[in-house]
Amino acid sequence: MALLVQKYGGTSVGTIERIHRVAERVAQSHRAGDQVVVVLSAMSGETDRLIKLAHEASATPDDREMDMLLSTGERVTVALLAMDLRSRGLNARSYTGRQVGIITNSVHTKARIARVSADRLREALAKGIIPVVAGFQGINEQSDVTTLGRGGSDLSAVALAAALKADRCVIFTDVDGVYTSDPNVVPAARRIDKISYEEMLEMASLGAKVLQARSVEFAAKFNVPVEVNSSFKEGKGTLVTREDADMEAVAVAGVTGDRNQAKITMVGVPDKPGIAAKIFGPVAQANINVDMIIQNVSQDALTDLSFTVPRADLRAATPLLQAVANDVGARSVAITEAIAKVSLIGVGMRSHSGVAAKMFEVLSREGVNIMMISTSEIKISCVIAEKYLELAMRSLHTAFGLDRVVQGEQSAK
Ligand code: ADP
Ligand code: ASP
Ligand code: MG
């Protein structure tokens, strides 16, 4: 008998019909003798709908109230699934994040998990109950509702799997695994059988939304085996696990694209010690994640400083940066929204050289201008104009030999 945490995403619980199908799957695992803890997202589109409503209620919705609002989406699906399971004669019960002891810090809308008690879940499991838990939510030390950032139900599932020492955490979604690139953008993308936590973390951080980046970080830290699989069909998925020797054999394991980026340039910043700290200190305090930073060579003791932030944080960052610009005596602040980041990821980059040069060559052949570059041991990212993102992803995918070989094509060669 295995203990499984099964998480079903928004599309998988998007209609009552689909909730019935999830109930069948859960019932099947239960009948097979496994203990199952279910974690659900809100119905697809629901969180976006709620965010839109919030912006209609207020131009700058309060973060605490936002979490109160957003946490309702997951309450709906867990109650509906528990009702369905109960009508099948199964002893299922729905729980909120608070009821299962998910305690977070107080950074509303992107809270981090501080601890998970899961006592109530253990008691429920001991009584033979199938717990159905609302993903994406927790409470802070003051018992206020918090949410875990977009895609945060993945994190709820992984955190509960870690707390319960589950045998596996299965993320059921609308694709049957992690692909070499987003299969909805790159039709030739291939499903990956096994991927390391490290590569998966980079892919998720750089735009592959199939798993939330923080859930991967958590899984790696607590060694939770995560499987990504389809909630619509039976078959092999992708196992996210510790790195093994085979994984270094290929230089590039995946290509990602991220449109959720904006570029900010502080124009005419005095080039002297302490300026960067003055600029980035307040940004960090406002919990805005700065990604790439480029400082140009200075002319006349003035320089331009460009960096990227998540587009969603632009509204909060703009007034703050205007104030900082005045403070440090910068000439102006320029914002470019229509940018995107294309990245290559692979632990094999540690032992294969020439990946960056080939990436630049492919982009130049396609006429794509590179605005910013950043590298780490296992990834290379380029910021480009948003309109070229899909072209860049597909060309790089082909150039690095990742395209699926279609049967027939192979024999024709
Ligand atoms: P859920 O609602 O189940 O959480 P998401 O929409 O968050 O599902 O994530 C699944 C989507 O992630 C897929 O439909 C796919 O378009 C996208 N995606 C992006 N990159 C990848 C990738 N490398 N592999 C698989 N899916 C990817
Ligand atoms: N419903 C939340 C979102 O749309 C959490 C999740 O689906 O994982 O971001
Ligand atoms: Mg998701």
Side-chain angles (χ1 to χ4, degrees):
M1 184 177 73
L3 172 56
L4 304 176
V5 174
Q6 298 187 341
K7 179 257 170 177
Y8 294 88
T11 322
S12 313
V13 293
T15 60
I16 287 290
E17 184 45 48
R18 289 184 172 180
I19 289 179
H20 288 325
R21 271 201 259 164
V22 169
E24 265 160 39
R25 279 227 148 171
V26 173
Q28 202 183 327
S29 303
H30 180 79
R31 276 198 303 271
D34 291 328
Q35 277 186 311
V36 191
V37 174
V38 184
V39 176
L40 298 186
S41 289
M43 288 182 168
S44 53
E46 178 62 5
T47 307
D48 288 337
R49 188 185 73 87
L50 294 170
I51 292 173
K52 194 161 162 276
L53 275 181
H55 284 104
E56 285 170 19
S58 156
T60 50
D62 180 82
D63 281 349
R64 178 188 179 278
E65 304 313 321
M66 189 66 128
D67 278 350
M68 188 64 110
L69 178 71
L70 296 191
S71 64
T72 60
E74 272 72 10
R75 276 190 174 230
V76 172
T77 49
V78 290
L80 292 172
L81 181 69
M83 284 171 193
D84 180 329
L85 289 167
R86 292 185 73 79
S87 67
R88 291 166 196 257
L90 294 168
N91 189 7
R93 279 291 174 220
S94 62
Y95 300 94
T96 61
R98 175 199 190 118
Q99 286 173 314
V100 298
I102 297 183
I103 314 296
T104 72
N105 66 10
S106 291
V107 183
H108 284 288
T109 76
K110 42 187 164 185
R112 294 192 83 95
I113 292 181
R115 58 180 197 280
V116 178
S117 77
D119 291 341
R120 186 125 184 227
L121 278 185
R122 280 188 207 94
E123 280 167 31
L125 287 169
K127 286 187 199 148
I129 292 172
I130 302 175
V132 184
V133 183
F136 181 51
Q137 53 176 267
I139 53 162
N140 65 12
E141 298 290 350
Q142 288 76 48
S143 300
D144 286 336
V145 179
T146 53
T147 62
L148 308 175
R150 296 308 305 266
S153 300
D154 297 335
L155 177 58
S156 309
V158 170
L160 290 177
L164 295 168
K165 300 196 168 48
D167 295 289
R168 207 166 354 129
C169 178
V170 190
I171 306 288
F172 286 107
T173 181
D174 57 1
V175 281
D176 61 355
V178 178
Y179 277 65
T180 46
S181 194
D182 185 342
N184 289 315
V185 176
V186 182
R190 278 188 282 120
R191 188 180 54 76
I192 302 170
D193 281 332
K194 206 160 64 164
I195 186 167
S196 67
Y197 290 121
E198 213 183 339
E199 279 173 331
M200 191 62 238
L201 178 58
E202 288 286 3
M203 283 186 63
S205 311
L206 294 168
K209 75 166 186 163
V210 62
L211 283 177
Q212 189 212 30
R214 271 155 65 182
S215 73
V216 184
E217 209 181 334
F218 207 101
K221 191 163 166 196
F222 295 98
N223 248 313
V224 180
V226 175
E227 183 191 324
V228 178
N229 213 325
S230 165
S231 61
F232 300 109
K233 57 174 200 194
E234 303 274 340
K236 276 182 93 176
T238 298
L239 189 66
V240 189
T241 180
R242 268 185 289 187
E243 186 178 329
D244 63 33
D246 314 344
M247 294 176 181
E248 288 236 17
V250 289
V252 175
V255 180
T256 61
D258 185 2
R259 292 175 195 278
N260 176 30
Q261 297 281 312
K263 184 170 121 205
I264 297 174
T265 304
M266 289 253 180
V267 184
V269 180
D271 193 8
K272 57 183 190 200
I275 292 288
K278 269 198 177 158
I279 294 175
F280 294 112
V283 178
Q285 256 167 22
N287 282 302
I288 295 166
N289 285 326
V290 171
D291 182 21
M292 293 189 195
I293 304 177
I294 288 187
Q295 184 177 332
N296 294 346
V297 179
S298 70
Q299 288 172 339
D300 310 327
L302 289 181
T303 183
D304 290 349
L305 196 94
S306 295
F307 53 96
T308 57
V309 298
R311 222 178 272 181
D313 286 344
L314 206 53
R315 210 188 284 251
T318 309
L320 195 114
L321 288 166
Q322 296 289 1
V324 172
N326 288 341
D327 188 34
V328 300
R331 219 180 275 151
S332 60
V333 180
I335 292 169
T336 321
E337 279 200 56
I339 59 151
K341 187 162 58 175
V342 62
S343 309
L344 301 180
I345 296 110
V347 286
M349 280 188 208
R350 290 194 200 111
S351 48
H352 292 71
S353 57
V355 176
K358 184 164 169 185
M359 180 180 196
F360 304 152
E361 193 196 307
V362 172
L363 292 176
S364 108
R365 209 191 311 134
E366 298 294 341
V368 178
N369 183 41
I370 301 171
M371 299 180 203
M372 294 168 120
I373 301 165
S374 87
T375 62
S376 80
E377 215 189 354
I378 66 160
K379 69 116 207 254
I380 304 170
S381 301
C382 294
V383 169
I384 58 174
E386 186 179 8
K387 62 181 178 189
Y388 294 126
L389 181 63
E390 298 198 351
L391 169 72
M393 286 170 72
R394 289 190 198 125
S395 327
L396 290 166
H397 197 270
T398 307
F400 282 90
L402 296 173
D403 285 3
R404 184 160 34 92
V405 180
V406 181
Q407 272 176 6
E409 250 179 46
Q410 195 180 24
S411 51
K413 276 182 193 162

